Amino acid sequence: MLRTILFCTLLNAGVVALHAQESEPDRYPFYMQIGGHLSVLNPVEGFRQVLDQNGIGGGGQLLFQMGPGRPVFAGLDFSVVRFDEETVGFTTTQNGFPENYELRTRTNMLLGHVLLRFKPFTNFFLQPYADGLIGLKRPYTRTQYVQLFDEGEEDLIEAYPELNDNTFSAGLGAGVQARLTSWPDLLLDARCTYLMGGSARYLVRMDDPPAVFDDPIEVFEERITATTTLQFQIGLTLQFGL
């Protein structure tokens, strides 16, 4: 029911904004925005009780204005964050020379949403906005088998999934863009988003992991909960007038 109310509210806000701008002249530019951001994903509610750790990562956005002079944008928003990692290193001898290898197991989450943004025009360098999002969350874990070389170089030998799942996601966000330069039109963009999430399977570190293990996956266990999150983002956005 809450998802239905959220979707109807966002749809109604977009329709109202579009009708309010029908009388705007065609002399206004048509804007496109493309941006990248750093992201901190904070599990909340029941999700936080199981996964007491923030995800760190990044992502991007691609938005198009829904008509010249209209304060409504639509597009896509995505992020990838990492929650935890465990490694096991070992050395083998090949042709009389030692070779170093490492197994790495990482827990991650991919977020992908369709985005509707209401961004009223201002004559100030600060431009606030409100977002509505609907899409999915994908918690996943995979293990990489890599060979290590001198000077920090490495070679990926194999990567394989441990656990993947998908679940519904929808939410509301608010942010502000601050114009840094006018040519190109570069904006500093900060946003906070509350994203409800359906139930999903994912891996978390055990409360009492084994002291000795041969495979890093051995310190993780499967859990199933809702995936509601609070996301904080900061990044840069380029705005083009078409």
Side-chain angles (χ1 to χ4, degrees):
M1 182 64 181
L2 183 58
R3 295 173 183 172
T4 302
I5 295 174
L6 174 63
F7 177 76
C8 292
T9 301
L10 295 175
L11 182 61
N12 182 66
V15 170
V16 170
L18 288 175
H19 282 298
Q21 296 295 323
E22 283 184 348
S23 60
E24 294 289 343
D26 293 335
R27 60 184 175 86
Y28 291 106
F30 175 77
Y31 286 112
M32 178 184 75
Q33 292 188 347
I34 182 169
H37 58 256
L38 300 176
S39 179
V40 177
L41 194 68
N42 181 18
V44 296
E45 301 173 4
F47 195 19
R48 188 69 179 185
Q49 296 176 13
V50 177
L51 184 57
D52 189 18
Q53 184 180 28
N54 294 333
I56 307 295
Q61 293 178 348
L62 178 62
L63 297 172
F64 295 92
Q65 189 178 16
M66 297 181 68
R70 294 175 175 173
V72 180
F73 291 74
L76 300 175
D77 178 276
F78 73 93
S79 298
V80 179
V81 299
R82 181 189 302 171
F83 284 102
D84 202 356
E85 176 178 313
E86 184 60 66
T87 63
V88 172
F90 56 93
T91 300
T92 63
T93 301
Q94 300 288 338
N95 300 320
F97 295 96
E99 295 185 356
N100 298 319
Y101 296 88
E102 198 169 72
L103 283 171
R104 301 171 183 165
T105 297
R106 295 169 174 170
T107 60
N108 314 274
M109 180 175 284
L110 169 67
L111 302 94
H113 296 87
V114 175
L115 170 65
L116 183 66
R117 171 169 296 173
F118 176 69
K119 179 183 172 184
F121 298 105
T122 69
N123 293 322
F124 194 47
F125 79 100
L126 292 178
Q127 303 170 10
Y129 61 85
D131 287 348
L133 305 96
I134 185 168
L136 62 82
K137 294 188 179 83
R138 179 178 176 83
Y140 66 96
T141 301
R142 69 174 185 168
T143 295
Q144 293 180 330
Y145 178 37
V146 299
Q147 183 176 3
L148 306 178
F149 300 97
D150 295 335
E151 300 180 356
E153 296 183 2
E154 59 185 50
D155 181 30
L156 176 63
I157 299 174
E158 184 181 6
Y160 48 90
E162 302 286 358
L163 180 65
N164 299 319
D165 203 1
N166 295 303
T167 188
F168 175 82
S169 178
L172 296 172
V176 62
Q177 294 178 334
R179 179 172 282 105
L180 301 179
T181 63
S182 57
W183 185 259
D185 202 0
L186 182 63
L187 310 173
L188 178 66
D189 198 334
R191 183 178 73 163
C192 177
T193 309
Y194 176 80
L195 294 167
M196 298 178 297
S199 295
R201 299 180 303 134
Y202 55 91
L203 295 177
V204 296
R205 187 178 293 269
M206 298 176 180
D207 292 333
D208 187 20
V212 180
F213 49 89
D214 298 322
D215 192 323
I217 193 63
E218 297 175 17
V219 305
F220 294 95
E221 62 181 356
E222 182 178 326
R223 303 296 294 271
I224 303 176
T225 67
T227 54
T228 302
T229 56
L230 193 62
Q231 187 173 24
F232 302 94
Q233 299 172 342
I234 187 166
L236 295 175
T237 295
L238 280 173
Q239 182 171 264
F240 303 94
L242 303 178

